[in-house]
Amino acid sequence: MENRVSENSLLTREQVLALDIATHTGYFSLHEAGVWNFTESKRRNGNKMHGAFRTMLLAYMRRYGIRQVVAEDVAVNRHFYDMRRLSELRGILLEVCDELDLPEPEFVNPAT
């Protein structure tokens, strides 16, 4: 699939978003930085985290013209539930980049 943006156009620092994906997702760009809270509660009718994560990503990336995402990769550890949840959120990130016709995110090993 060909990107809407020419491959010859230079990526600027303003077009990069860095993420530490989790229930409390840390984010940084030259536009804003902080933490998005996707904590679920029973009062919110169960599992709304995935939709909220997707909606927030799309809105933020469209608002600031983000063309590249860099995110901490999912690390395998003893906590299966955490690993599964992070993998689900990673999948949503991949889908959002695909919808916006962006390259796949660059995933960074948390040990580096």
Side-chain angles (χ1 to χ4, degrees), residues 19-63:
L19 297 174
D20 181 4
I21 301 172
T23 302
H24 293 94
T25 296
Y27 69 97
F28 176 85
S29 76
L30 292 183
H31 308 283
E32 292 180 31
V35 176
W36 294 320
N37 184 352
F38 301 110
T39 304
E40 298 175 326
S41 73
K42 294 183 184 197
R43 290 182 291 160
R44 288 182 60 207
N45 193 22
N47 190 1
K48 301 291 185 187
M49 176 174 45
H50 299 92
F53 180 72
R54 183 181 189 283
T55 299
M56 180 63 75
L57 275 178
L58 281 169
Y60 189 91
M61 293 169 74
R62 286 178 173 148
R63 181 181 325 132

Side-chain angles (χ1 to χ4, degrees), residues 95-111:
E95 188 272 332
V96 165
C97 288
D98 190 42
E99 180 172 326
L100 296 175
D101 203 18
L102 299 175
E104 285 192 8
E106 294 291 327
F107 289 102
V108 178
N109 185 325

